[in-house]
Amino acid sequence: DIVMTQTPLSSPVTLGQPASISCRSSQSLVHSDGKTYLSWLQQRPGQPPRLLIYKISNRFSGVPDRFSGSGAGTDFTLKISRVEAEDVGIYYCMQTTQFPRTFGQGTKVEIK
Amino acid sequence: QVQLQQSGPGLVRPSQTLSLTCAISGDRVSSNSAAWNWIRQSPSRGLEWLGRTYYRSKWYNDYAVSVKSRITINPDSSKNQFSLQLNSVTPEDTAVYYCAREGDYDNSGYNAFYFDLWGRGTLVTVSS
């Protein structure tokens, strides 16, 4: 199984300031079709996960442009350019390149 | 608007069978461009993918090795839903269970394999 490791596990951020979350996979996420199926999910308190970013850097429909994704191979980053109160929650990276689908352990974003 | 509506008991006795259903509105369980998944979440295991069912001229299933001997995911085209059965449960199976759609393509028609739609989740407690 591909192990997804996120850092940090907790990220206290001041409103309006940037936040960055890293995700590393135990093996390359490049699929046989040449694409990299790395997604980022947001889970607000009491809610199911919500898709933010797919294929490293593609924002899903309705996701604000303050969210961006980057990376390649085994190292990936989610950035929030200016954190807003509604961004509080736990963020997960997830790979759908191989089976089984696997998730990072989550990074909690909270307001200082 | 596509939605997933979960149903099923919140309490299951040890050694019994956990059964949940996910009703789909706005899409078809027999879609040729989606797969229908079950995922669970617990403090000890985090988010754990359990398995999926999908239709590509015939029905297929994929299961996580950790539950493969105990799990069945069945589609029901007549009711446009899919179900999860997990046999011989123990307290370690206590978790919030989610159904989710994995879409093969994005709005531009490119491969996506993204989990774009989730049910609201069902807390299942295994206890006597």
Side-chain angles (χ1 to χ4, degrees):
Chain A
D1 297 4
I2 297 178
V3 177
M4 308 295 287
T5 303
Q6 290 182 229
T7 55
L9 297 184
S10 178
S11 179
V13 185
T14 302
L15 285 173
Q17 292 302 301
S20 181
I21 301 168
S22 294
C23 174
R24 177 167 289 179
S25 57
S26 60
Q27 53 187 279
S28 173
L29 297 186
V30 179
H31 191 272
S32 56
D33 67 5
K35 306 301 182 185
T36 301
Y37 296 101
L38 183 283
S39 298
W40 289 96
L41 308 172
Q42 175 196 60
Q43 188 172 31
R44 291 172 173 151
Q47 306 237 339
R50 164 199 175 201
L51 178 65
L52 294 178
I53 302 282
Y54 65 97
K55 285 198 302 188
I56 303 178
S57 60
N58 293 269
R59 266 188 306 275
F60 187 60
S61 175
V63 174
D65 61 8
R66 64 180 181 274
F67 291 94
S68 63
S70 63
T74 61
D75 288 285
F76 308 94
T77 302
L78 175 71
K79 290 183 179 176
I80 310 173
S81 59
R82 293 173 303 278
V83 172
E84 298 189 5
E86 66 178 17
D87 300 336
V88 166
I90 302 177
Y91 291 77
Y92 298 93
C93 58
M94 173 190 186
Q95 66 83 20
T96 53
T97 293
Q98 281 190 23
F99 287 93
R101 306 326 199 184
T102 51
F103 300 84
Q105 68 270 57
T107 296
K108 187 173 187 178
V109 171
E110 52 193 355
I111 305 301
K112 277 184 187 174
Chain B
Q1 184 182 0
V2 188
Q3 288 186 326
L4 301 177
Q5 181 68 43
Q6 297 181 218
S7 59
L11 178 64
V12 181
R13 305 301 182 191
S15 80
Q16 300 299 303
T17 297
L18 181 159
S19 296
L20 296 173
T21 299
C22 185
I24 303 164
S25 56
D27 198 351
R28 295 174 294 116
V29 69
S30 57
S31 166
N32 277 296
S33 60
W36 305 95
N37 295 260
W38 287 98
I39 300 107
R40 67 183 178 184
Q41 184 174 32
S42 64
S44 59
R45 295 172 180 257
L47 285 163
E48 180 184 14
W49 177 82
L50 298 176
R52 68 175 190 167
T53 189
Y54 61 102
Y55 185 80
R56 302 290 184 272
S57 303
K58 67 175 187 177
W59 290 104
Y60 294 89
N61 290 100
D62 295 304
Y63 297 131
V65 169
S66 60
V67 294
K68 194 168 186 176
S69 63
R70 301 192 291 131
I71 190 173
T72 304
I73 297 176
N74 280 325
D76 184 338
S77 296
S78 64
K79 295 182 179 178
N80 202 32
Q81 63 186 30
F82 62 109
S83 63
L84 167 69
Q85 285 195 308
L86 189 64
N87 302 326
S88 306
V89 296
T90 72
E92 289 192 353
D93 294 310
T94 294
V96 176
Y97 286 76
Y98 294 101
C99 58
R101 180 179 72 178
E102 179 179 348
D104 284 4
Y105 307 108
D106 62 18
N107 288 340
S108 300
Y110 296 107
N111 282 356
F113 302 125
Y114 56 22
F115 280 55
D116 64 335
L117 184 66
W118 294 67
R120 294 183 64 84
T122 301
L123 173 60
V124 178
T125 301
V126 179
S127 174
S128 54

